[in-house]
Amino acid sequence: MHGKTSSTIQNLYRYGVLLWTVSAGFPVTLAHAADLPDKEDKKATSPYATGNAQKKGPAKALQAQQSSATNEMPSSVESLVVWGEGRKNATTDGTGSYIVKAVSMGKMLLRLNEIPQSVSVLSTQQMHDQNLNSVDDALKQVPGVNVNLYGDGTAGMTARGYALTPQFDGVPSTGGLQMAQQFDLAIYDRLEVLRGPNGTFQGSAPPGGSVNFVRKRPLDQFRAQGSFSGGSWGNYHADADLTGPLSASKRVTGRFVIAGTDRGYFYQHAHDRRWTAYADVDVHITDHTTLSMSATGQKNDTTRFMGLPRAADGSDLHLSRNSFVGADWGHTTSPMYELGGELEHRFGGGWRARLTGRHRVTDTSLHYTYLNSAVTAQKTANFVVANSLIHDQYDGVDLYVTGPIHAFHRRHDLVIGGNYDSDVMTDGGATQSSRVNTGLAGLDIFSPVISSTIQPDITTMYREPTRQEGVYGSLRIELLRSLHLLLGGRISFYEYKYRNISTNSPYVTSLKNNAVPTPYLGLVWNVTSGISAYVSFTDTFTPQSGYTPTGRLKPDLGQQIEGGLKGDFFHHNLNVTLAGYRVIERNKAMIDGDLAPTCGRSGTGDCYRAAGKVRSQGAEAEMIGRILPGWDINASYTYNDNVILKDSTASLEGQPYASNSPRHLFKLWSHYRFAAPEQTRNVWSVGGGLTAQSSTFGTTRTVRQGAYVVANAQIGYQFNPRLDVAVNINNISNTRYYQRLGNIYYYNYYGEPRNFMATLRSTF
């Protein structure tokens, strides 16, 4: 009774001081949370009052938030304003929800229904519910995204028929997503995915969209959590996450995450072992200035499996799903290390500035075999032994200032910034084929006798710097209280050059684009308090690797127009999006058949013209959030029609453009908890989902497969507020399908047969 009285008095005091603040003219608005300056991923204490808030349901989470707010009552009006800023942030860790309050990749920190483009966010809670541990598994759950594995822990990600590009805490990167190793998912708070061009903040990039990887940040309340998973084929994963204050004043907070994977695969000889460690320290220099410093490292040793072959006519050979083609010693290692830093200052009147930087180094070594001839009836073929070394150094810096402008009796929001992105790649490779080594000809594809000592010497190494910088701006204008206009754009500078460091040759500037504009225009109309309509137009440009007789091709130039409806229902617990889009991309590379192969670095490659044209159009529907207490859902349907409009090969015109990109794609995940939200002991839960897609073709058009459906299920049990267990069963019907298609030699990968994974999770 005494505790309740004390809490009531403190609540009355808090609200009284807040009202006094408003009456005194301080910039705190209760009516519309979007008007509050955001604190984003900083000291957002409310969702983390107890470590198990995410498992307690909405009522318990609310109690935890209230308890945290009470215990950390600001001692001054100035602190109160900062405390109020934290109510709108994009953090998902500890919220227990699939939906987010805001999205950070646009710098302004807007709600989903305030963004005139398709954006989806994969939250911490959904990652936990579906037992997602890797980036590729996580992105498979995002509407409209296709993930194509490469058999060594890397993948290619596409949306709307085009590649996705990465951002890391809002800093754009030229590389680091496609065919690149990724850190364990345990270090991330959420993945923000924008589909469609993101020229304003990304710069040069394909029009598929961007993935913003947002890392976890330290909390000022102690919390420890961990999990251990084990499943089919010796698949094990474990992680531990520790966070809390590092000083009595809580001005210095820290977070440490460690994760490990030791897994076998359903196909023979393959294994993956990796460890990831992440540390972050936030220093709250003043109530308005925060410095963050982070370090991440990962080591891996992964089997390099190039996939299965197809018949010479592209048809399925109907090999056993556990087949492994090639030498069993093929492997890749890619140790990665990253340092990050961020300095944010919050000015008065809702203005803030943020400077973010990152430095990542990756050293990749690959030694493996693959086929380079059609498979005979006796299941024999010719092999190639490959050896590659790649050193990548990524550096990125992003600086922006954002805040409100009050004009014409309305509030408008402005972002002005600039960023720099550099990828310096030092690479070289060598192969040995049956033309040189007759011992590589006519071998059994399942058990070829190939010595691991055959490692071709790398005699040529290249150094290839790619640099991009740009300035950007965005203005959100309040035309009416229910109507907002977004104006934005970017001026980008891009340069790619290379040199042969083996011969100490000078640099050759292969591609340079100066002052390329990518404008952006969007309009959002709040039809009702919970439904908004939007339309947007944006430009994009993408540098190309092909050569003309005089140098590299001009960049692709693209435009997208998109429109749709966004709904916010059940007290902000359910988001629904309906969208339609059309992308036109010009200057696509076309082989110039009138010229001899005299182009490229060596002067012996094919020549191209920048004259092709492709179109991608379609519709998307997404529903994510909580339908009823205890019932969470993420469902989406994507229709994508991508087609070649103009090509030097006339027979390709009118054909689909993108491989492994189904026209129809449906994804569903639903999770239900059999208890009232406040009950945290002896609670059962069930989950289920499916992925259904239409037919696709591979990197060779003769390699095809029909439609398929894969269903999954989960059953969970919460023993108490600190301990729960879940068992996931994947591919319940044991559907036989290819999750990725390639050509007749390799890159054809079966999807996983029926399997299970059990996970024990604990929070303190």
Side-chain angles (χ1 to χ4, degrees):
M1 181 70 183
H2 175 74
K4 291 183 178 180
T5 303
S6 175
S7 176
T8 301
I9 292 173
Q10 291 185 30
N11 282 332
L12 289 173
Y13 171 75
R14 179 170 69 250
Y15 296 134
V17 174
L18 186 59
L19 290 173
W20 177 85
T21 304
V22 173
S23 65
F26 285 88
V28 177
T29 304
L30 297 176
H32 186 49
D35 291 338
L36 286 173
D38 66 88
K39 198 177 180 184
E40 201 162 332
D41 295 326
K42 301 301 179 194
K43 192 177 167 185
T45 59
S46 60
Y48 313 109
T50 58
N52 59 306
Q54 62 189 15
K55 293 292 183 183
K56 291 184 176 182
K60 279 290 183 180
L62 178 60
Q63 292 174 13
Q65 292 175 11
Q66 292 172 342
S67 174
S68 176
T70 300
N71 294 335
E72 298 186 90
M73 181 60 210
S75 59
S76 67
V77 172
E78 182 178 69
S79 298
L80 178 63
V81 174
V82 176
W83 175 85
E85 292 173 6
R87 302 308 93 191
K88 182 186 179 185
N89 65 76
T91 303
T92 71
D93 185 18
T95 65
S97 176
Y98 285 15
I99 63 173
V100 294
K101 295 180 181 179
V103 177
S104 62
M105 68 189 311
K107 316 297 184 183
M108 287 183 187
L109 203 66
L110 300 175
R111 294 187 183 91
L112 288 172
N113 60 5
E114 296 174 327
I115 303 172
Q117 274 186 273
S118 297
V119 178
S120 300
V121 180
L122 190 67
S123 69
T124 298
Q125 186 62 46
Q126 187 177 347
M127 295 178 197
H128 286 176
D129 285 349
Q130 292 193 256
N131 193 33
L132 305 175
N133 298 315
S134 66
V135 167
D136 52 283
D137 282 342
L139 289 176
K140 287 178 184 178
Q141 312 306 317
V142 177
V145 173
N146 302 295
V147 177
N148 303 304
L149 304 183
Y150 284 99
D152 64 347
T154 68
M157 291 78 169
T158 64
R160 300 184 177 179
Y162 303 99
L164 293 169
T165 47
Q167 294 181 7
F168 299 94
D169 288 305
V171 182
S173 178
T174 301
L177 180 60
Q178 305 294 337
M179 293 190 68
Q181 298 289 340
Q182 304 298 324
F183 289 125
D184 193 284
L185 203 62
I187 76 169
Y188 296 117
D189 173 80
R190 64 190 181 279
L191 304 185
E192 301 176 339
V193 182
L194 181 146
R195 294 180 297 283
N198 188 17
T200 300
F201 300 109
Q202 190 74 36
S204 66
S210 298
V211 182
N212 187 25
F213 295 84
V214 185
R215 58 192 169 89
K216 292 178 177 177
R217 302 297 294 271
L219 311 179
D220 57 8
Q221 296 283 328
F222 174 79
R223 188 180 72 181
Q225 60 183 4
S227 70
F228 175 80
S229 301
S232 303
W233 313 301
N235 185 0
Y236 300 101
H237 180 274
D239 62 72
D241 182 348
L242 181 66
T243 184
L246 300 180
S247 66
S249 65
K250 297 186 178 181
R251 286 198 173 273
V252 181
T253 55
R255 191 159 195 163
F256 179 71
V257 178
I258 187 169
T261 295
D262 191 339
R263 67 171 299 183
Y265 291 85
F266 63 92
Y267 44 88
Q268 302 175 45
H269 309 306
H271 198 82
D272 182 24
R273 182 178 292 112
R274 63 185 62 212
W275 286 98
T276 306
Y278 163 73
D280 185 298
V281 175
D282 283 5
V283 181
H284 303 279
I285 301 172
T286 70
D287 289 339
H288 301 282
T289 306
T290 302
L291 174 65
S292 175
M293 298 166 289
S294 66
T296 313
Q298 178 171 281
K299 288 189 174 183
N300 76 295
D301 188 355
T302 308
T303 299
R304 174 66 163 167
F305 175 45
M306 292 293 288
L308 301 176
R310 304 274 286 203
D313 62 357
S315 61
D316 191 355
L317 289 171
H318 300 288
L319 302 175
S320 172
R321 281 189 284 186
N322 70 346
S323 298
F324 185 97
V325 172
D328 58 7
W329 44 257
H331 76 282
T332 176
T333 59
S334 299
M336 294 194 300
Y337 305 96
E338 179 172 289
L339 297 176
E342 180 180 284
L343 179 65
E344 181 181 83
H345 181 75
R346 296 175 294 278
F347 303 94
W351 283 84
R352 63 183 172 87
R354 174 177 290 185
L355 173 65
T356 308
R358 60 181 291 265
H359 170 77
R360 177 183 292 190
V361 174
T362 303
D363 282 293
T364 301
S365 172
L366 303 99
H367 186 203
Y368 59 100
T369 62
Y370 62 91
L371 301 183
N372 71 332
S373 74
V375 177
T376 68
Q378 293 75 33
K379 299 296 187 294
T380 63
N382 299 340
F383 279 84
V384 173
V385 179
N387 182 27
S388 298
L389 294 174
I390 306 170
H391 173 86
D392 271 302
Q393 178 176 311
Y394 302 99
D395 293 287
V397 178
D398 181 80
L399 171 65
Y400 69 91
V401 178
T402 183
I405 297 175
H406 298 276
F408 306 106
H409 305 289
R410 301 195 182 279
R411 168 179 167 147
H412 319 286
D413 295 286
L414 176 68
V415 172
I416 297 178
N419 47 42
Y420 170 85
D421 169 35
S422 169
D423 174 11
V424 180
M425 180 168 66
T426 304
D427 64 304
T431 60
Q432 188 173 126
S433 69
S434 58
R435 295 178 182 178
V436 177
N437 186 338
T438 57
L440 297 174
L443 300 180
D444 186 325
I445 64 172
F446 300 123
S447 56
V449 180
I450 303 175
S451 173
S452 61
T453 60
I454 302 176
Q455 191 161 356
D457 294 330
I458 299 175
T459 59
T460 303
M461 294 288 291
Y462 287 94
R463 181 177 172 86
E464 304 175 66
T466 301
R467 190 186 77 244
Q468 179 180 201
E469 57 263 349
V471 292
Y472 58 82
S474 180
L475 178 62
R476 182 171 182 262
I477 303 172
E478 186 181 75
L479 300 176
L480 302 171
R481 285 200 67 84
S482 61
L483 187 65
H484 289 82
L485 175 67
L486 278 80
L487 298 172
R490 176 186 175 92
I491 301 295
S492 298
F493 300 81
Y494 180 94
E495 182 183 65
Y496 163 78
K497 57 185 181 180
Y498 68 89
R499 75 182 183 94
N500 187 328
I501 59 178
S502 301
T503 59
N504 200 27
S505 302
Y507 275 111
V508 176
T509 300
S510 180
L511 185 63
K512 191 170 186 178
N513 302 113
N514 287 328
V516 180
T518 48
Y520 177 83
L521 176 67
L523 190 66
V524 180
W525 174 36
N526 297 321
V527 182
T528 68
S529 60
I531 299 177
S532 62
Y534 73 91
V535 64
S536 63
F537 172 86
T538 183
D539 265 0
T540 183
F541 86 98
T542 310
Q544 301 190 89
S545 59
Y547 284 85
T548 70
T550 58
R552 287 283 281 269
L553 286 170
K554 296 179 181 178
D556 286 346
L557 298 178
Q559 296 84 33
Q560 173 184 274
I561 185 168
E562 179 178 327
L565 297 171
K566 295 188 179 184
D568 183 354
F569 306 105
F570 301 139
H571 305 288
H572 310 296
N573 285 319
L574 182 71
N575 292 329
V576 178
T577 301
L578 301 174
Y581 61 89
R582 181 183 176 93
V583 182
I584 297 292
E585 195 177 22
R586 299 175 177 84
N587 290 355
K588 293 293 292 183
M590 293 171 53
I591 293 180
D592 194 335
D594 296 332
L595 297 175
T598 58
C599 297
R601 289 178 181 170
S602 62
T604 59
D606 289 328
C607 295
Y608 292 85
R609 292 181 290 119
K613 184 178 180 181
V614 299
R615 183 203 66 210
S616 175
Q617 63 184 13
E620 296 176 337
E622 179 184 15
M623 179 173 64
I624 184 170
R626 184 159 296 168
I627 299 177
L628 295 172
W631 185 6
D632 294 306
I633 190 170
N634 186 0
S636 66
Y637 166 74
T638 302
Y639 170 77
N640 176 248
D641 175 30
N642 58 77
V643 65
I644 299 172
L645 299 178
K646 184 178 180 181
D647 193 271
S648 55
T649 303
S651 61
L652 292 178
E653 294 182 359
Q655 296 293 314
Y657 164 67
S659 62
N660 291 293
S661 181
R663 178 168 292 189
H664 303 278
L665 179 61
F666 177 74
K667 300 180 181 182
L668 170 68
W669 169 258
S670 182
H671 185 267
Y672 185 75
R673 190 173 179 275
F674 292 93
E678 63 272 10
Q679 184 175 337
T680 59
R681 294 181 181 274
N682 306 319
V683 179
W684 288 93
S685 64
V686 295
L690 61 85
T691 298
Q693 70 169 58
S694 57
S695 60
T696 53
F697 64 89
T699 52
T700 299
R701 291 178 178 272
T702 56
V703 176
R704 296 178 174 272
Q705 76 170 339
Y708 64 84
V709 178
V710 177
N712 308 309
Q714 182 202 74
I715 185 169
Y717 185 76
Q718 184 176 4
F719 296 96
N720 55 54
R722 303 188 183 280
L723 184 65
D724 62 84
V725 64
V727 177
N728 290 69
I729 304 175
N730 304 308
N731 195 357
I732 299 172
S733 62
N734 204 25
T735 300
R736 184 187 180 100
Y737 68 100
Y738 284 92
Q739 67 85 23
R740 189 265 168 95
L741 295 174
N743 54 44
I744 64 172
Y745 307 128
Y746 47 79
Y747 280 162
N748 302 287
Y749 297 95
Y750 279 124
E752 291 185 343
R754 183 189 300 117
N755 65 91
F756 79 93
M757 175 74 83
T759 301
L760 185 68
R761 194 178 305 276
S762 183
T763 305
F764 299 94

